[in-house]
Amino acid sequence: METAKTIAGLLLAIFVTIVSKGPSAPSSINVPITYAARYYFGRDTATILVINQFDLNNTKDTSAKKIDALKGAAYTSLKFIGSQIDLLPHTRVINLVDSLNFQANKDSVKNLASKYNATQVLALKNFDAAIIRSDIQSSEIYLNTLVNADFKLYEGNGLFSKKLHGTASDLVSGENYKHLSAGEVFVSPPIGLYKAAVDTSSENAAMDALKDYFPNTISHDRPLFSDHFLTKGVEKLYAGDPDGAIKLFEPYLQDKNAKKAGKAAYMLAIAYEFKGNVEKAGEMATLSLNKFNNPYATTMLQDLKDE
């Protein structure tokens, strides 16, 4: 598991939700955690050359309108992925993609990298976009975009590469068909009719392909125990002071009452999660689970494992 970045500013963005199920019910608190990027284009300065290797002539639908619409969406995806990479520190992007002459680049990756002094070459290999309809419920039909983009990231020598797949599906705003008659048949419309929606999904698909190269923030609503001995520590959590909460919860780890110690361990797990220390949070959640059958700790451990 990647070590979480500690971002103090996130503590100011804590949202507290009170669960109203009676006076004995625990409250919950939203814990945002920012994880560092899993991969980097380079620890030092990296130059990324963006090219197109997607041949529009190989698409199943050979109609001029479909090809033209795909061309526009694919170009949008490539342009966007280049702009996002350019935002990363120590990276420089050279984009060779032309919206007018959107031809598949068949030049040697190694030669291209050498010509432009690029450390890596990012190529679009395949792209598809469609408008699909969702299931009919209560005589209503909703339209969604569906975009898939396949990229390949080559090392400058052209010998090594990594596949990057991105996908996105977004609701097409305002497309809600009601009260269809039994004889009506709805055929998914061409993507050219919904250019703005498809362009947005094309950008989202590109971002999905890059997700491991950017920091990732995940939030969880963590239930809190309402026992009186935890009250002051909970107040510290609400105030965005996890260190203060830790000092108040820690003494109860030694309590002879296993359940009491287990609850304190779980609350410590939340405090450490606030601080971005997911290793220590997992340690405390495991301790809590060992003390008693704490379903909250079970959920937290599964969340940390999945992330």
Side-chain angles (χ1 to χ4, degrees):
M1 181 185 296
E2 292 288 335
T3 302
K5 279 189 176 179
T6 303
I7 298 183
L10 284 174
L11 298 177
L12 301 176
I14 297 167
F15 296 97
V16 179
T17 305
I18 303 300
V19 182
S20 56
K21 293 185 178 179
S24 62
S27 58
S28 67
I29 195 163
N30 186 273
V31 184
I33 305 180
T34 296
Y35 292 90
R38 293 184 180 182
Y39 305 116
Y40 299 90
F41 288 102
R43 294 291 180 177
D44 298 318
T45 302
T47 299
I48 316 300
L49 185 67
V50 177
I51 66 172
N52 174 47
Q53 290 184 334
F54 168 51
D55 192 346
L56 283 161
N57 295 321
N58 292 334
T59 58
K60 294 179 181 179
D61 191 333
T62 57
S63 67
K65 288 185 178 181
K66 170 72 173 183
I67 290 177
D68 189 57
L70 271 180
K71 172 183 171 182
Y75 171 75
T76 296
S77 192
L78 269 170
K79 181 181 178 182
F80 186 77
I81 203 168
S83 69
Q84 294 306 296
I85 294 172
D86 210 30
L87 295 175
L88 293 170
H90 311 299
T91 61
R92 171 175 173 257
V93 172
I94 301 173
N95 199 326
L96 297 187
V97 183
D98 188 337
S99 61
L100 297 177
N101 183 27
F102 195 76
Q103 299 297 319
N105 193 320
K106 298 181 180 180
D107 294 338
S108 161
V109 167
K110 182 179 179 179
N111 291 342
L112 284 171
S114 177
K115 179 179 179 180
Y116 291 93
N117 295 317
T119 54
Q120 290 140 300
V121 177
L122 181 67
L124 177 67
K125 302 294 292 186
N126 194 36
F127 185 89
D128 189 46
I131 301 294
I132 60 175
R133 67 175 188 176
S134 61
D135 294 336
I136 301 175
Q137 296 179 350
S138 305
S139 300
E140 297 181 0
I141 291 179
Y142 293 90
L143 299 182
N144 288 77
T145 59
L146 179 60
V147 173
N148 286 287
D150 291 296
F151 299 89
K152 186 172 281 190
L153 181 65
Y154 297 92
E155 290 298 320
N157 56 23
L159 298 176
F160 305 103
S161 63
K162 179 194 297 184
K163 293 181 179 178
L164 302 176
H165 174 72
T167 187
S169 180
D170 301 290
L171 182 68
V172 178
S173 178
E175 292 307 318
N176 175 14
Y177 297 83
K178 299 180 179 180
H179 311 300
L180 297 179
S181 67
E184 284 184 285
V185 178
F186 184 86
V187 178
S188 295
I191 62 174
L193 294 179
Y194 304 98
K195 184 180 184 304
V198 172
D199 282 351
T200 296
S201 293
S202 298
E203 293 179 347
N204 291 341
M207 200 65 211
D208 185 50
L210 282 179
K211 58 183 178 292
D212 289 337
Y213 289 85
F214 282 83
N216 183 31
T217 300
I218 298 176
S219 295
H220 295 291
D221 285 317
R222 300 298 186 201
L224 302 173
F225 289 111
S226 58
D227 303 69
H228 186 266
F229 74 96
L230 298 171
T231 301
K232 291 190 179 298
V234 170
E235 289 175 356
K236 292 291 185 181
L237 287 178
Y238 284 168
D241 181 12
D243 289 320
I246 289 170
K247 290 180 181 179
L248 292 169
F249 293 144
E250 272 186 336
Y252 295 103
L253 287 180
Q254 310 305 322
D255 200 282
K256 294 180 179 180
N257 184 316
K259 193 168 185 178
K260 191 172 184 178
K263 287 184 176 182
Y266 169 71
M267 300 299 282
L268 278 165
I270 294 175
Y272 281 114
E273 193 177 28
F274 262 127
K275 288 170 62 67
N277 191 339
V278 294
E279 287 79 13
K280 193 68 174 179
E283 180 184 322
M284 289 294 103
T286 299
L287 178 61
S288 178
L289 195 58
N290 290 339
K291 293 287 186 181
F292 78 107
N293 186 22
N294 179 5
Y296 302 147
T298 301
T299 299
M300 177 183 282
L301 287 169
Q302 187 60 52
D303 289 340
L304 296 177
K305 179 182 177 182
D306 292 342
E307 295 160 14

